[in-house]
Amino acid sequence: MSPVVDGLAGLRVPEELSARVPAEQRGPGRGRDDVRLLVSRGTAVSHHAFRELPSLLRAGDVLVVNTSPTLAAAVDGRLGPEPGGEPVVVHFSTRGDDGRWAVELRSPEPSGSTRPRAGGPPGAVVRLPGGGRLVLAGPLAPGSGRLWWARAYGDVPGLLGRYGRPIRYGYTERDQPLSVYQTVFARPSPDGAGSAEMPSAGRPFTPGLVAELEARGVRIAPLSLHTGVASAEAHEPPYPERFEVPEETAALVNAVRAGGGRVVAVGTTVVRALESAAAGGAVRGARGWTGLVVTPARGVRVVDGLLTGLHEPEASHLLMLEAVAGRAALRSAYAAAVRDRYLWHEFGDVHLLLPEETAHCAHC
């Protein structure tokens, strides 16, 4: 059992605290930024509306955001030879450098969501809409049956664009259009790459809020990390993912740190990318694959704060949150989130972890 799970072992998140629809669908006149913001500074916790974010940061800080677009990564298929075959939902996770795709096969539920199923077997053929097909090769990692490498025959970006839909889990109420899963920061990738699941920490931002942040002297710096399919049930650590930290972002982050500003990551994906590009306490421009798993033992080198969603007590992401803020801060925040009935998951409320204030720096 991980140290984070030990620290939150007594915490239970009631099912009714799952956000089942986006904020803007919860009532007339509501917008994406109509979510709550839990703020942690050490073990001190305060409660805010997300629209208050500009007043919680200060001139000279930089928010680093993930520009990866969300893909319509779920496609219906049939496993086995024609006619018939087992109905499956294929989650396209990550495109490898050799052209293969890491995919997760799941069984469809009558509600429209899916449930886990065993991967494989090797050599099995998955028939896809429009005449495409996948041939399963083997597990992505030894001993893991969830994600498999598969050779795709057909145009996968075209397939996703025509037949795909966003990945959906059982706690959501219904399917949503892809636009619901795009953040204001999303930018198309030249090669059609993107994230299998939304970089959800950026979802509550609106153009107006971004403009207010910039007017207050908070800088916005882009990078990309294309997220793979999360382990919704088993809470496995993340697999290697493609990322790019532009030279301009690296230079801005280094300048902000040198000037005494704070580097606040918008999402765990941004922490992973930034920390993968850190060397000797500075960030360099970098691109490629990262298998970095940020843990309390490893720590963080360039990230001062983190804006993220609320994660299940068993989630491996909590190791990263503990690395940023410490176990006591995490325990205090999550107890408050349950007590005050914050909403969980990608359509839910958000959590801002900032450095602990000191008596001589009450404005920090």
Side-chain angles (χ1 to χ4, degrees):
M1 183 176 289
S2 77
V4 169
V5 175
D6 284 343
L8 299 179
L11 184 71
R12 295 293 178 268
V13 180
E15 187 176 343
E16 64 267 20
L17 296 187
S18 293
R20 303 193 183 281
V21 296
E24 63 271 25
Q25 296 178 16
R26 294 181 200 142
R30 293 179 65 95
R32 283 186 174 219
D33 54 358
D34 280 307
V35 296
R36 300 168 71 192
L37 176 62
L38 179 71
V39 178
S40 295
R41 293 183 177 90
T43 57
V45 173
S46 58
H47 305 276
H48 305 266
F50 185 74
R51 291 185 178 128
E52 296 177 56
L53 179 65
S55 67
L56 296 166
L57 301 174
R58 64 176 189 255
D61 289 343
V62 60
L63 284 174
V64 187
V65 303
N66 189 355
T67 61
S68 177
T70 308
L71 301 176
V75 178
D76 294 325
R78 290 272 179 175
L79 180 65
E82 297 186 72
E86 176 192 352
V88 293
V89 176
V90 181
H91 288 173
F92 284 84
S93 182
T94 305
R95 185 184 184 276
D97 291 337
D98 62 358
R100 296 185 302 172
W101 279 82
V103 300
E104 179 188 38
L105 301 187
R106 293 176 68 93
S107 298
E109 293 273 28
S111 65
S113 63
T114 61
R115 64 180 185 276
R117 70 175 296 284
V125 176
V126 180
R127 290 175 281 119
L128 301 170
R133 61 191 176 97
L134 292 173
V135 179
L136 301 179
L140 185 66
S144 173
R146 184 175 70 89
L147 289 173
W148 280 59
W149 284 116
R151 179 68 62 183
Y153 295 88
D155 173 23
V156 172
L159 173 81
L160 300 185
R162 185 171 182 183
Y163 300 105
R165 60 187 181 275
I167 289 174
R168 174 192 163 197
Y169 292 113
Y171 50 76
T172 56
E173 187 174 287
R174 57 182 177 268
D175 285 343
Q176 298 283 352
L178 184 60
S179 59
V180 166
Y181 290 87
Q182 302 294 8
T183 75
V184 70
F185 305 115
R187 298 292 181 270
S189 299
D191 61 355
S195 289
E197 296 184 4
M198 174 177 55
S200 55
R203 190 182 191 280
F205 286 85
T206 64
L209 188 65
V210 171
E212 184 179 352
L213 285 161
E214 292 179 327
R216 286 174 174 257
V218 177
R219 307 288 294 274
I220 309 292
L223 57 73
S224 66
L225 184 141
H226 300 313
T227 66
V229 177
S231 172
E233 291 85 18
H235 303 295
E236 301 163 353
Y239 289 92
E241 294 166 318
R242 285 174 57 194
F243 80 104
E244 180 175 3
V245 177
E247 295 283 355
E248 297 81 2
T249 291
L252 177 56
V253 167
N254 292 333
V256 165
R257 298 185 73 238
R262 298 174 298 187
V263 177
V264 180
V266 179
T268 58
T269 59
V270 170
V271 177
R272 194 180 202 200
L274 275 181
E275 294 292 325
S276 297
V283 178
R284 67 189 191 285
R287 64 186 302 175
W289 291 83
T290 176
L292 177 66
V293 178
V294 177
T295 65
R298 189 264 186 194
V300 290
R301 298 169 184 172
V302 297
V303 171
D304 300 302
L306 171 61
L307 180 73
T308 184
L310 291 163
H311 305 277
E312 294 179 2
E314 302 85 2
S316 61
H317 286 308
L318 291 176
L319 289 168
M320 179 185 291
L321 272 64
E322 184 179 349
V324 172
R327 188 185 303 180
L330 204 56
R331 186 185 300 118
S332 177
Y334 271 62
V338 172
R339 182 178 63 248
D340 288 274
R341 302 188 67 77
Y342 278 69
L343 296 180
W344 256 252
H345 303 304
E346 67 264 33
F347 297 143
D349 297 318
V350 283
H351 182 197
L352 176 62
L353 301 98
L354 290 174
E356 187 171 4
E357 291 184 351
T358 60
H360 65 278
C361 190
H363 68 283
C364 295

